[in-house]
Amino acid sequence: MANIKDIARVAGVSVATVSRALSTPSLVRPKTIERIEAAIADLNYEPNHLAAGLRRQRSDNVIVAVPSIHNPFTSAFVEGIENVARANRMRVLLGITEGDLEALNKYASMIAGKQADGMILLETNLPDIVNNPPAQGKVPPIVAACEYPPELRLPRVRIDNLEACALVVGHLAELGHTAIATITGPIGQYMSQDRLSGYKLGLARARLEFNETLVAPGDFSLQSGYDAMVRLLDGGAEFTAVACANDEMALGALSALQHRGISVPDEVSVAGFDDLRFGAFSSPPLTTVHSPTVEIGEAAMRLMLDALLPADQQPPAREVILPHRLIVRQSTGAPGKRRRKG
Amino acid sequence: MANIKDIARVAGVSVATVSRALSTPSLVRPKTIERIEAAIADLNYEPNHLAAGLRRQRSDNVIVAVPSIHNPFTSAFVEGIENVARANRMRVLLGITEGDLEALNKYASMIAGKQADGMILLETNLPDIVNNPPAQGKVPPIVAACEYPPELRLPRVRIDNLEACALVVGHLAELGHTAIATITGPIGQYMSQDRLSGYKLGLARARLEFNETLVAPGDFSLQSGYDAMVRLLDGGAEFTAVACANDEMALGALSALQHRGISVPDEVSVAGFDDLRFGAFSSPPLTTVHSPTVEIGEAAMRLMLDALLPADQQPPAREVILPHRLIVRQSTGAPGKRRRKG
DNA sequence: TTGTAGGCGTTATCAG
DNA sequence: CTGATAACGCCTACAA
C-alpha cells in the first residue's frame, strides 16, 4: 500500500504538505492540492488510520454497550447513534454485554487502550470506573442513554418515564377503567422502578387505589408478558385494563388473552410502551407511548461529541429529556362492553 | 497513561520482555512475568491498541455492512457476528448503508485505511472493489452473509432459500390449498428472486399452476405486507393461502386480514419466513420457516477469521449452507372451513 | 506557503 | 530467557 511518503514523492512535495492538504486544505496552495490529489488517485492511496490515530491519540470510535442488540428497542438506539457518528467521521463499535458487569468493564477498558474514545451506555449496569475513578487522570467520556439513579453525574439522555407511564394510566382511567393492572420490567432495574412509579402516580392522580395483586413482574420479553398475563388472569383479582412496561410484553399479553379467548379491548384493554413498529400491526393494534428511540441515540452521540471536545471548549455535562407522546390505537377502549368469561 | 516503557522500568526488564510477557508468556520466565504483572497492576497499564495495530498492520475490527440495523432480521445476524468476534478478540464496527452503494464503498475503503481488517456483507449491494480489484494487491477479506449471484466467488453463508420456500408452499398444498398467493420482497433483489423461485418450485412440485395475478410484491416491511395483502384481496383473484417472503410482511398481511374481518386460518392461511420472535406471539401465531440468523452471523464471522489467516494457512474460500426448518403454528390450516365473505 | 524532524507506543528481528 | 533497536505511517511544532 502506498503511504504518505509515496504521495509526497510523486507529487513533488513534502509529507507535511500532503498531510496538510488532507486535513487543512486551506493552508495549502490550490495548485499544490491538485498535484497531491492526482498522486493520491494515481497510487490509490488511503491514509492509514491506525498511524494517524496513534499520533493523535484518538481512535475515532465510540463503543456502544448494550445488553443485546437482538431487540428492536436497543437497535433503534444504535441506529440513531450511528447516524450522527457517521456524520462526524466517527465509527460505532458494538459491545454486547448480556448484562454481564465484567464484560462491561472490559469494554470500558478499551477506552484506556485507545480502541475507543468514549462509551455510550444502553445498559442497566454501570462500569466500575464511573464509581472508582483512577487516582490520577480523569473519568473517560461516558454517556448514558438509559435510566440511572439521578444522583449520578453523567451526561445523559432519556424520556420522562414517570410522566409517560402516568399518562398511559390516565388514558385508561379516562376511558372509565378503575381496576388497572400492570406488567412491569425486572424489579431490580432502575427503569422498571421508574415506570412502576409512573403507574402508581397515574393511579393516584385518577384517585384509584394501588393494589399489589394487580402487579405482575416480567423481564421485558414477549414470553414474560405472556406469562405475566396468565398469572394475572389466574390470580383471581378483577381488572379491565393492563398497562405494560414495554410493547414486547404487551404483545405477549395480547397473545395470552387471545389464547384464552378474551376479547381486546372489549373485555380487557392493553397498553404498551415504546412504540415498536410491530405494535401498529398487532391484532388489535396496540395503544402505546411513543418513545423517540432513534432520536435518543442521536442525542446521546451528540453528548458524546461534546464530551470529546478539548477540555477548554467543553460544555458542562447535561441531561437531555426528550418528549414522549401517547398513541391511542385499538387495544384500549371503554371497560365493560362485555362481561369477563371466567 | 503508563506505557510499556514505564512497565519495563518498574519491573526492571526491557520493553521487549514486557511485550512478550503479554503476547507469548510461554517465552518468559514465570518470575519475570510476576514482576511485570505487578507493575501493570500498579500503574494501571492498558496496552495501546493503536500502537500495536500500527505495528502489526491490524485493527482487529471487522466492519459489518447492513442496510439498517433497525430490523430484527439483521440485528440477529449482527448478534451472531459479535459473539464469535468477541471470542476471538476482534471487534464489530457497524456500517449502516441505507442501501446506498457509495456509503458501502466508503465502508469498504476502511479496510485499506486499516480501520477494519475485513468486511461482512448483509447487503444486497456489492462494493465496487469486488468487481474491480486493484491492479496490484489482492481483494480484501470480504464475506457475504446474504444471497448473491452464484457466479460470485466470495466466502459466503446462507440458507437454501429456494428449498425453504418450496417447503412452505408444499406445506400449504398438503393442507389442501390449490390457490396459493405470495407476497414477495423487492423484485430487484437477488434474495427476493430466489424466494420467488422457491415459491414457483413448490407450486410445480404440487402440480399447481403459477398464476401471475397471485403475486404481490412488497419490500420486506410490515406496511408493505399490509398493502400487498390489501391489493391481493381487492384484486379479485380467489386464493385461500398466502406465502410471504418474510415474517414482517406476513405480520402486516395478518393485520390487513384482521382489519377486513377475514379469519385466519379459517378463510385464509398465512405463512411467513425467518421465524422472528414476534411471529410466535401474533394472533394467530405465525407458521414460518426458521432461519438460523444468529448462526448465520456466527458462521460468517468464522469465515472472516479464516480469510484473515496468513496466506499460507488459509483454507479455500467456501460456501456454508445452514439448515432451515418449517415451523407450523396456527396461521395455516385446511382451506374452506368457511366461505370468504367478499 | 512549504519543508525538516521528532515522536506517538508497540512488535519483531537479531543478537546475546 | 532477555535486551537493544529498527520500523509501522502519520501529525505538528518549528523553521524557512
Side-chain angles (χ1 to χ4, degrees), chain A residues 177-193:
Chain A
H177 295 273
T178 54
I180 303 173
T182 187
I183 298 179
T184 74
I187 40 170
Q189 277 183 220
Y190 195 83
M191 190 170 78
S192 307
Q193 292 293 352

Side-chain angles (χ1 to χ4, degrees), chain B residues 1-290:
Chain B
M1 272 306 293
N3 62 22
I4 202 174
K5 240 177 182 165
D6 299 323
I7 303 302
R9 185 169 29 75
V10 172
V13 295
S14 73
V15 291
T17 302
V18 177
S19 178
R20 274 189 291 255
L22 256 22
S23 56
T24 35
S26 60
L27 298 182
V28 181
R29 182 154 48 112
K31 279 241 170 166
T32 312
I33 293 189
E34 260 175 50
R35 286 215 312 285
I36 291 174
E37 282 179 341
I40 288 177
D42 253 30
L43 303 194
N44 225 288
Y45 168 70
E46 196 71 40
N48 185 316
H49 197 261
L50 251 18
L54 172 59
R55 179 58 233 238
R56 298 183 307 136
Q57 292 298 345
R58 276 279 215 138
S59 65
D60 295 327
N61 293 154
V62 228
I63 175 132
V64 177
V66 295
S68 152
I69 183 94
H70 190 170
N71 176 321
F73 186 60
T74 67
S75 61
F77 274 131
V78 174
E79 178 128 25
I81 291 170
E82 223 274 347
N83 283 350
V84 353
R86 190 175 4 158
N88 290 275
R89 316 172 136 271
M90 295 203 57
R91 299 289 155 221
V92 174
L93 227 34
L94 217 53
I96 300 183
T97 63
E98 290 166 355
D100 179 29
L101 178 59
E102 203 168 337
L104 183 59
N105 281 329
K106 198 165 289 179
Y107 288 128
S109 75
M110 288 172 46
I111 302 178
K114 303 291 179 206
Q115 286 205 74
D117 301 333
M119 174 152 88
I120 296 181
L121 291 168
L122 261 38
E123 268 281 336
T124 119
N125 283 322
L126 219 44
D128 289 340
I129 194 162
V130 175
N131 293 313
N132 307 325
Q136 76 272 47
K138 52 193 163 43
V139 184
I142 295 182
V143 171
C146 198
E147 292 302 306
Y148 280 112
E151 61 272 18
L152 201 65
R153 288 214 149 280
L154 230 47
R156 64 216 280 184
V157 33
R158 59 183 186 96
I159 61 169
D160 191 335
N161 282 285
L162 194 78
E163 284 298 337
C165 284
L167 183 64
V168 174
V169 174
H171 161 70
L172 294 169
E174 257 178 44
L175 287 171
H177 295 274
T178 53
I180 303 173
T182 187
I183 297 178
T184 74
I187 40 171
Q189 275 183 220
Y190 195 82
M191 190 170 80
S192 307
Q193 292 292 351
D194 229 33
R195 292 190 177 174
L196 178 57
S197 303
Y199 162 77
K200 289 179 184 170
L201 178 63
L203 289 181
R205 284 185 184 158
R207 304 186 190 285
L208 296 174
E209 224 158 274
F210 172 70
N211 177 348
E212 185 76 52
T213 64
L214 291 183
V215 177
D219 64 7
F220 287 135
S221 72
L222 283 160
Q223 184 67 54
S224 79
Y226 185 101
D227 296 341
M229 191 71 236
V230 167
R231 288 202 307 278
L232 243 21
L233 254 16
D234 293 345
E238 286 295 321
F239 59 89
T240 57
V242 188
C244 304
N246 78 347
D247 275 6
E248 275 215 32
M249 293 195 297
L251 260 11
L254 237 38
S255 173
L257 289 164
Q258 200 244 356
H259 202 234
R260 291 280 180 109
I262 296 171
S263 151
V264 176
D266 294 344
E267 294 173 83
V268 172
S269 284
V270 175
F273 196 112
D274 286 343
D275 192 22
L276 294 193
R277 279 174 307 141
F278 291 92
F281 292 89
S282 59
S283 308
L286 191 65
T287 291
T288 190
V289 171
H290 177 74

Side-chain angles (χ1 to χ4, degrees), chain A residues 58-63 91 93 106-107 109-118, chain B residues 46-50 59-61 89-91 93:
Chain A
R58 274 278 214 138
S59 64
D60 295 328
N61 293 155
V62 228
I63 176 132
R91 300 286 155 223
L93 227 35
K106 199 166 289 177
Y107 288 127
S109 76
M110 288 173 46
I111 302 178
K114 302 292 178 202
Q115 286 205 73
D117 301 332
Chain B
E46 196 71 40
N48 185 316
H49 197 261
L50 251 18
S59 65
D60 295 327
N61 293 154
R89 316 172 136 271
M90 295 203 57
R91 299 289 155 221
L93 227 34

Side-chain angles (χ1 to χ4, degrees), chain A residues 3-4 19 45 48 51 55:
Chain A
N3 62 24
I4 202 173
S19 177
Y45 168 70
N48 185 315
R55 179 58 231 245

